[in-house]
Amino acid sequence: MSLVLDPAAQDLLFREARTANTFTDEPVTDEQVQAIYDLVKFGPTAFNQSPLRVVLVRSAEGRERLVQHMAEGNRPKTSTAPLVAILAADNEFHEELPALLPHFPQAKDMFFSERPARESAAGLNAALQAAYFIIGVRAAGLAAGPMTGYDAAGIQKEFLDDDHTPLMVVNIGKPGEDAWLPRSPRLSYDEVIQTV
């Protein structure tokens, strides 16, 4: 059975998609970011909680503040990408639930009154939204370079607050020269899928 999605779109979003390590200096516009968000906001999350929050780092001053918290090997990429996004989980997402889940507003207090439950749900669902975001970047014809090599506490203190947990930093732009490493192997269907 074949997929419904056009093969060219399958390639763009998945088969040919890789983490970019270099970028051109072509800017990533606010309109492109808006288009990405307007697409990926529809990706499902539990209770429609939508806990992902994004900090766009555009300024030279912001870039300098961010780069000091990146792992050594990630600093050159982050220094030169046209746009860098800090993706974070909002641990107080439940405050938006009455608006996001109007048919079940009591979910806010019924399931998420305790901070540990919120942190667990926010981390899982924001990570899911981060994956949607990366696919959205690819759908916009841009390359994404997601990274988790950084000082999380430093990024949280520098750019966020105690209610937001950093998940990843994503460099965004048009791929530059020698942007791709060779494709790494993937597990086979039989190694991943089990039927019981």
Side-chain angles (χ1 to χ4, degrees):
M1 175 179 182
S2 62
L3 299 173
V4 174
L5 188 64
D6 177 78
Q10 294 174 38
D11 290 342
L12 176 69
L13 300 178
F14 294 100
R15 290 192 198 99
E16 294 178 5
R18 300 185 192 173
T19 296
N21 293 295
T22 67
F23 299 89
T24 69
D25 58 4
E26 183 178 331
V28 176
T29 67
D30 290 334
E31 291 78 17
Q32 287 172 301
V33 177
Q34 179 78 51
I36 291 165
Y37 177 71
D38 285 342
L39 175 65
V40 304
K41 69 183 179 183
F42 293 109
T45 57
F47 292 101
N48 197 32
Q49 59 192 249
S50 307
L52 181 70
R53 302 296 180 265
V54 181
V55 176
L56 298 177
V57 182
R58 287 195 182 278
S59 69
E61 179 266 337
R63 188 74 57 105
E64 187 175 308
R65 288 168 45 212
L66 176 59
V67 166
Q68 68 180 335
H69 298 293
M70 300 303 295
E72 190 67 38
N74 290 331
R75 290 179 180 180
K77 297 181 274 192
T78 304
S79 296
T80 58
L83 179 64
V84 183
I86 300 169
L87 306 189
D90 180 0
N91 296 306
E92 297 299 312
F93 69 87
H94 70 305
E95 295 297 342
E96 306 293 337
L97 277 183
L100 292 173
L101 201 64
H103 64 280
F104 189 25
Q106 62 270 33
K108 172 188 173 195
D109 297 317
M110 187 178 292
F111 297 106
F112 303 111
S113 62
E114 300 295 325
R115 177 71 180 230
R118 290 196 304 273
E119 288 180 353
S120 176
L124 175 64
N125 286 279
L128 182 60
Q129 287 187 286
Y132 299 148
F133 182 84
I134 292 166
I135 292 172
V137 167
R138 293 172 180 163
L142 300 168
M147 301 170 294
T148 55
Y150 54 77
D151 172 12
I155 286 180
Q156 183 176 32
K157 183 177 179 182
E158 192 79 37
F159 293 95
L160 304 167
D161 59 32
D162 290 342
D163 290 330
H164 294 82
T165 303
L167 297 174
M168 66 182 67
V169 173
V170 183
N171 296 324
I172 303 169
K174 292 283 187 180
E177 189 174 337
D178 298 322
W180 320 116
L181 295 174
R183 168 73 75 194
S184 296
R186 297 296 193 267
L187 296 174
S188 71
Y189 178 92
D190 292 333
E191 291 173 304
V192 175
I193 306 298
Q194 182 182 56
T195 303
V196 294

